[in-house]
Amino acid sequence: MADLTTQFLELPVKNPLMNASGVWCNVASQLEALAESAAGAMVSKSCTLHPRDGNPEPRYRVINGAHTFGSINSMGLPNEGFAYYLRYAQRHDHEQKPLFMSLSGLTLDDNLTMVDSLKDAVTPAILELNLSCPNVPGKSQIGYDFDAMDTLLAEVSSGYQRPFGVKLPPYFDMAHFDEAAEILNRYPLVAFITCINSIGNALVIDIDSETTLIKPKDGFGGLGGDYVLPTALANVNAFYRRCPNKTIIGCGGVKSGTEAFLHLLAGATLVQIGTSLYEEGPGIFQRVLDELAAIMDDKGYKTIADFRGKLKTIA
């Protein structure tokens, strides 16, 4: 049988699967369900300094095409506030399952305030800075403002003084891969990169009613599911190649063992599930793990290290 164990920042992890931030992690009961699931790790909801209600409903819809499955959302960072997730992190059993804390401050000062509080807290939670939420009206994505990203990483590296990671938006230009990687490589404490958040500001229209599917931002929202898989794999592999001293977490389009395998092959160490987790619930992790193990067995791979990052290109 295939061995699905792996390591993340020298931490042993039972398997490479985890939730995507924003899915099944808003409140303590959902986080507990993740803790009890077959996932190898878990991440909290991206939080702001103070609680937020988020955007008006309807703000999430499944998109079922003839051969595609995905979602569009404009959640707007609804969350219980930083203090709520910090309290959860302080009582979580981190030896059972690593917990990432995702921070998405609305300002630089908010981010630094949360980072300082997390540093002072007695918890081994792993810090992830969300630089990529596309659904807060009036708030641009830091991941697309390279000067702002550089400033934030410099401030956090100086103040936090321990390894942390970033969640990036999708990039579509080779020059942007290069520029973002150059900035990330300046900061040794940036230990991991999560690729990708949803593809922002898509528009899905219902042909029968001739209306948008979601209400906020005149129907514009972030795409997930099948629609984002090729872009997610490109970003995972681009940063795997450009940031050899950093660990990559893959996110986007995972609904079965096949997509999980592809993310690992492209260079990811951990793989997040979003849209399909939202629809299927935490039971999805065992199903995907079983499918991933079957693929590895069929290919003769004993461990994830046998194929992780070993994507072949055409000569």
Side-chain angles (χ1 to χ4, degrees):
M1 289 292 293
D3 180 1
L4 297 179
T5 59
T6 188
Q7 279 200 326
F8 181 84
L9 306 185
E10 300 183 354
L11 291 172
V13 184
K14 292 179 181 178
N15 65 72
L17 297 187
M18 59 185 295
N19 65 304
S21 182
V23 184
W24 223 275
C25 58
N26 286 32
V27 295
S29 60
Q30 294 176 331
L31 288 163
E32 283 302 308
L34 290 177
E36 295 169 5
S37 75
M42 53 191 284
V43 59
S44 67
K45 179 75 174 72
S46 287
C47 64
T48 49
L49 183 58
H50 304 292
R52 281 177 57 88
D53 292 331
N55 293 337
E57 302 278 1
R59 57 192 185 188
Y60 173 90
R61 287 285 297 273
V62 171
I63 311 167
N64 277 317
H67 304 289
T68 54
F69 168 75
S71 64
I72 184 169
N73 86 87
S74 183
M75 304 299 289
L77 286 177
N79 71 94
E80 301 297 316
F82 170 75
Y84 179 91
Y85 301 104
L86 180 59
R87 286 194 297 272
Y88 179 85
Q90 289 174 317
R91 65 176 185 268
H92 175 72
D93 183 355
H94 295 267
E95 292 186 2
Q96 174 196 3
K97 189 169 298 187
L99 171 67
F100 294 73
M101 270 196 71
S102 180
L103 309 185
S104 189
L106 299 178
T107 66
L108 174 60
D109 286 345
D110 282 0
N111 273 317
L112 296 180
T113 297
M114 291 189 287
V115 168
D116 285 344
S117 296
L118 184 60
K119 179 184 177 182
D120 293 339
V122 182
T123 172
I126 303 166
L127 168 61
E128 177 188 83
L129 294 174
N130 183 356
L131 309 184
S132 53
C133 179
N135 298 320
V136 178
K139 181 180 182 293
S140 62
Q141 297 183 61
I142 298 175
Y144 287 144
D145 184 337
F146 290 133
D147 288 338
M149 182 167 76
D150 192 16
T151 297
L152 176 60
L153 296 182
E155 293 277 3
V156 173
S157 293
S158 175
Y160 195 56
Q161 298 181 343
R162 65 186 70 172
F164 66 97
V166 296
K167 184 171 185 177
L168 295 179
Y171 297 107
F172 305 94
D173 192 297
M174 299 301 262
H176 293 159
F177 289 137
D178 293 339
E179 190 169 354
E182 181 182 1
I183 293 170
L184 294 166
N185 284 330
R186 290 176 199 162
Y187 301 101
L189 289 178
V190 177
F192 67 93
I193 305 165
T194 303
C195 306
I196 56 172
N197 209 325
S198 58
I199 296 179
N201 296 312
L203 182 64
V204 180
I205 301 171
D206 179 73
I207 191 170
D208 296 324
S209 64
E210 302 178 11
T211 61
T212 60
L213 292 190
I214 57 175
K215 180 176 181 178
K217 295 170 56 181
D218 296 322
F220 285 69
L223 278 180
D226 292 344
Y227 303 96
V228 308
L229 177 63
T231 300
L233 293 175
N235 279 257
V236 166
N237 191 244
F239 285 102
Y240 176 74
R241 293 173 181 273
R242 287 165 174 78
C243 300
N245 296 320
K246 303 187 188 303
T247 300
I248 309 300
I249 299 178
C251 181
V254 178
K255 64 181 181 183
S256 72
T258 297
E259 298 82 28
F261 180 88
L262 295 178
H263 271 275
L264 295 166
L265 183 67
T269 294
L270 299 179
V271 179
Q272 298 181 349
I273 305 178
T275 296
S276 292
L277 170 60
Y278 191 100
E279 296 303 313
E280 190 171 332
I284 191 173
F285 293 113
Q286 189 60 61
R287 175 178 66 78
V288 173
L289 287 171
D290 291 343
E291 293 168 355
L292 174 60
I295 292 170
M296 290 173 61
D297 288 340
D298 287 345
K299 289 178 171 289
Y301 293 129
K302 301 298 184 184
T303 70
I304 290 172
D306 291 341
F307 66 93
R308 187 182 68 82
K310 296 181 181 179
L311 174 67
K312 302 169 187 175
T313 57
I314 300 174

